[in-house]
């Protein structure tokens, strides 16, 4: 059964149940636990995590692997045990994006990625070295390759 | 805020199953041990606040359109 919400950004949006993810622990500092992953522009690398509890709340996310080739996620033992994840679980990873008027000022939060599997999502602290809170998304101006994360 | 004075080795119990122990005091630094069920997430406050700030910033992209990127900056 599909849900329809009145998003303050997108107007009336029909939510495909396939896109709904439940955050049992919420997103850090944000309200609500049910979100939908909306791809409003198939050509864009960005998606919206639209809250189903608060139509005014939508968070820009992207797939970090598109921008950071060496990106990886390392959980600490407590998180790994709590989430029950092992290497065999197919997990999709998203990172929040801080947008800006100038594209070169866009940053992604590699320190607290969002892991999605089986309709559940968790924002966790990434222990992989070099994963910073505000990693520049575009580094065309820099000839140096990005660090591993 | 409840204020409690503790010495190294002494503990505080929160609810039924969270134990906080003052392990060591050295100068300006206090080592704290926390024993809590897995379902209780523990963060350093400054990191929690920084992640909250990034989440809020990601929620503030104005308008319905996703950020526009010039072609040369598209991720590849």
């Amino acid at each position: 059964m599909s849900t329809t919400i009145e998003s303050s950004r997108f107007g009336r949006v029909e939510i495909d149940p396939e896109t709904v993810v439940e955050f049992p622990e919420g997103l850090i500092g944000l309200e609500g636990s049910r979100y939908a992953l909306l791809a409003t522009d198939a050509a864009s690398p960005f998606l919206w995590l639209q809250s189903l509890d608060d139509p005014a709340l939508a968070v820009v996310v992207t797939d970090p692997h598109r921008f950071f080739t060496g990106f990886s996620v390392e959980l600490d033992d407590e998180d790994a045990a709590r989430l029950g994840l092992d290497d065999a679980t197919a997990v999709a990873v998203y990172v929040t994006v801080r947008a800006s008027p100038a594209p070169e000022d866009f940053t992604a939060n590699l320190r607290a990625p969002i892991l999605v599997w089986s309709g559940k999502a968790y924002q966790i602290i990434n222990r992989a070295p070099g994963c910073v809170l505000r990693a520049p998304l575009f580094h065309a101006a820099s000839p140096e390759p990005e660090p591993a994360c | 805020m409840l204020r409690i004075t503790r010495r190294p080795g002494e503990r505080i119990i929160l609810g039924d199953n969270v134990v906080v122990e003052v392990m060591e005091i050295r100068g300006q630094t206090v080592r704290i041990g926390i024993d809590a069920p897995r379902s209780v997430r523990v963060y350093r406050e400054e990191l929690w606040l920084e992640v909250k700030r990034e989440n809020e910033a990601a929620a503030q992209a104005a308008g319905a359109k996703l950020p526009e990127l010039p072609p040369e900056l598209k991720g590849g």
Side-chain angles (χ1 to χ4, degrees):
Chain A
M1 200 186 93
S2 69
T3 314
T4 305
I5 62 162
E6 287 289 342
S7 161
S8 58
R9 280 190 178 76
F10 314 115
R12 197 175 190 79
V13 180
E14 192 148 318
I15 303 295
D16 176 353
E18 294 281 304
T19 66
V20 174
V21 290
E22 174 88 25
F23 285 77
E25 301 170 352
L27 275 157
I28 292 175
L30 298 182
E31 299 287 326
S33 62
R34 291 179 72 236
Y35 287 79
L37 268 167
L38 302 183
T40 54
D41 175 0
S44 167
F46 302 114
L47 298 93
W48 292 93
L49 256 185
Q50 168 69 53
S51 169
L52 300 183
D53 304 305
D54 177 1
L57 177 58
V59 177
V60 184
V61 297
T62 193
D63 172 1
H65 298 102
R66 283 184 74 137
F67 296 94
F68 305 94
T69 50
F71 178 80
S72 65
V73 177
E74 286 176 25
L75 300 179
D76 67 19
D77 292 345
E78 284 75 19
D79 280 349
R82 185 165 50 83
L83 303 185
L85 277 176
D86 58 40
D87 291 343
T89 314
V91 176
V93 183
Y94 297 93
V95 291
T96 62
V97 174
R98 180 188 273 266
S100 175
E104 55 270 28
D105 293 334
F106 278 40
T107 62
N109 181 357
L110 305 184
R111 192 75 202 282
I114 294 163
L115 310 185
V116 181
W117 74 100
S118 306
K120 295 251 189 281
Y122 292 86
Q123 184 169 35
I124 53 89
I125 302 300
N126 188 3
R127 308 291 170 179
C131 287
V132 296
L133 279 154
R134 284 183 287 279
L137 263 193
F138 308 107
H139 18 81
S142 161
E144 293 296 312
E146 277 300 286
C149 185
Chain B
M1 181 185 285
L2 174 66
R3 289 150 205 267
I4 300 175
T5 302
R6 300 272 70 189
R7 298 171 187 280
E10 293 183 334
R11 298 173 173 190
I12 297 166
I13 298 177
L14 306 177
D16 290 329
N17 45 23
V18 177
V19 179
V20 179
E21 179 176 339
V22 176
M23 304 185 80
E24 183 186 18
I25 301 172
R26 189 177 291 173
Q28 293 295 302
T29 307
V30 179
R31 276 176 71 81
I32 292 172
I34 300 164
D35 203 349
R38 277 180 185 157
S39 59
V40 175
R41 288 160 292 142
V42 178
Y43 301 99
R44 288 176 172 81
E45 182 193 33
E46 60 273 20
L47 179 57
W48 190 91
L49 287 172
E50 288 193 295
V51 173
K52 175 177 191 277
R53 193 166 59 199
E54 292 312 303
N55 283 350
E56 289 169 347
Q60 275 166 9
K65 283 181 76 72
L66 285 159
E68 287 285 346
L69 303 177
E72 70 273 17
L73 289 179
K74 296 249 174 170

